[in-house]
Amino acid sequence: EIVLTQSPTTTAASPGEKVTITCLASSSVSNMYWYQQKSGASPKLLIYSTSSLASGVPDRFSGSGSGTSYSLTINTMEAEDAATYYCQQWSSNPLTFGSGTKLEIK
Amino acid sequence: EVQLVESGGGLVQPGRSLKLSCLASGFTFSNYGMNWIRQAPGKGLEWVASISSSSSYIYYADTVKGRFTISRDNAKNTLYLQMTSLRSEDTALYYCARVGYGLRMDAWGQGASVTVSS
């Protein structure tokens, strides 16, 4: 099983600040996916195939990485971006998620 | 509009069974694989099971293998999760999710709550 380790676990950012969330895989994966989950809501796809923006996602979000190291970046933090973010891989079974990064607004 | 609506959740005693349904609309259900993902209270996301568009391929997490069965009825646009021998650790919100192009989960339901308790 591929274990995904996210960091930080919790963070806070001021409006306009740049935020980066990291996801390290225990073995190499070919693609990474990122989901946003706001409080009381279902997860929403943000990034697929490592760096492609899902439909309707603002372009202040971006993804990058390869091999065992991936990241999600929010270029300029907005209040509506406060949420928990999960990375996910399905390069090999079982499909696994990172443990999540809670992002709060300062 | 793509919609996934789960139903069938509830309170059940340990060792008993429960069957969840996920009704799909707004897309050609038979063209997509589907996943069940769960989230225990205050915890992260955990993959439960996957089924391909024609039910040819089915996979389970080790934590539910032998107890849960994923299935689908393409004529009814419905995904199912039959859960047996339920344990307290199965308590969670269960989401169905569509597996889109490139294995992305691009649509999620609102979740069905399952509580296993005596």
Side-chain angles (χ1 to χ4, degrees):
Chain A
E1 172 175 324
I2 295 178
V3 176
L4 301 179
T5 303
Q6 284 185 237
S7 61
T9 303
T10 306
T11 189
S14 302
E17 193 175 339
K18 184 176 182 178
V19 177
T20 299
I21 297 169
T22 297
C23 180
L24 296 181
S26 59
S27 297
S28 181
V29 300
S30 53
N31 278 305
M32 192 62 71
Y33 305 83
W34 292 91
Y35 299 86
Q36 176 193 64
Q37 186 177 33
K38 295 185 178 180
S39 181
S42 304
K44 170 190 168 185
L45 177 68
L46 280 183
I47 302 285
Y48 64 94
S49 299
T50 301
S51 58
S52 297
L53 221 55
S55 177
V57 174
D59 61 7
R60 62 180 180 274
F61 289 91
S62 64
S64 63
S66 64
T68 60
S69 182
Y70 293 83
S71 63
L72 171 71
T73 299
I74 306 173
N75 209 37
T76 50
M77 176 74 181
E78 295 194 10
E80 66 181 25
D81 300 335
T84 300
Y85 293 84
Y86 296 93
C87 57
Q88 174 249 314
Q89 70 79 31
W90 208 359
S91 294
S92 65
N93 283 322
L95 180 162
T96 52
F97 290 95
S99 56
T101 294
K102 185 174 183 179
L103 173 61
E104 299 172 331
I105 188 80
K106 280 185 187 173
Chain B
E1 180 196 2
V2 173
Q3 274 202 312
L4 297 170
V5 179
E6 300 93 338
S7 61
L11 172 64
V12 61
Q13 292 179 326
R16 303 297 288 256
S17 300
L18 201 62
K19 187 173 186 177
L20 303 182
S21 300
C22 169
L23 178 62
S25 61
F27 65 100
T28 304
F29 181 68
S30 59
N31 286 350
Y32 290 85
M34 298 292 294
N35 286 342
W36 285 102
I37 306 293
R38 68 184 180 183
Q39 187 169 35
K43 302 296 184 182
L45 302 171
E46 179 190 15
W47 168 73
V48 174
S50 300
I51 187 168
S52 62
S53 57
S54 60
S55 305
S56 299
Y57 300 97
I58 288 175
Y59 304 101
Y60 297 99
D62 286 345
T63 51
V64 307
K65 199 175 293 182
R67 300 188 300 121
F68 289 12
T69 302
I70 187 172
S71 62
R72 63 191 296 160
D73 185 334
N74 286 344
K76 295 183 178 179
N77 291 339
T78 303
L79 174 73
Y80 303 101
L81 185 67
Q82 176 70 55
M83 303 182 291
T84 64
S85 302
L86 282 161
R87 307 166 180 168
S88 58
E89 53 264 38
D90 296 318
T91 294
L93 190 60
Y94 285 74
Y95 296 102
C96 61
R98 185 179 80 169
V99 180
Y101 178 76
L103 300 182
R104 64 187 123 164
M105 289 184 280
D106 59 3
W108 295 63
Q110 85 288 350
S113 179
V114 173
T115 301
V116 183
S117 174
S118 54

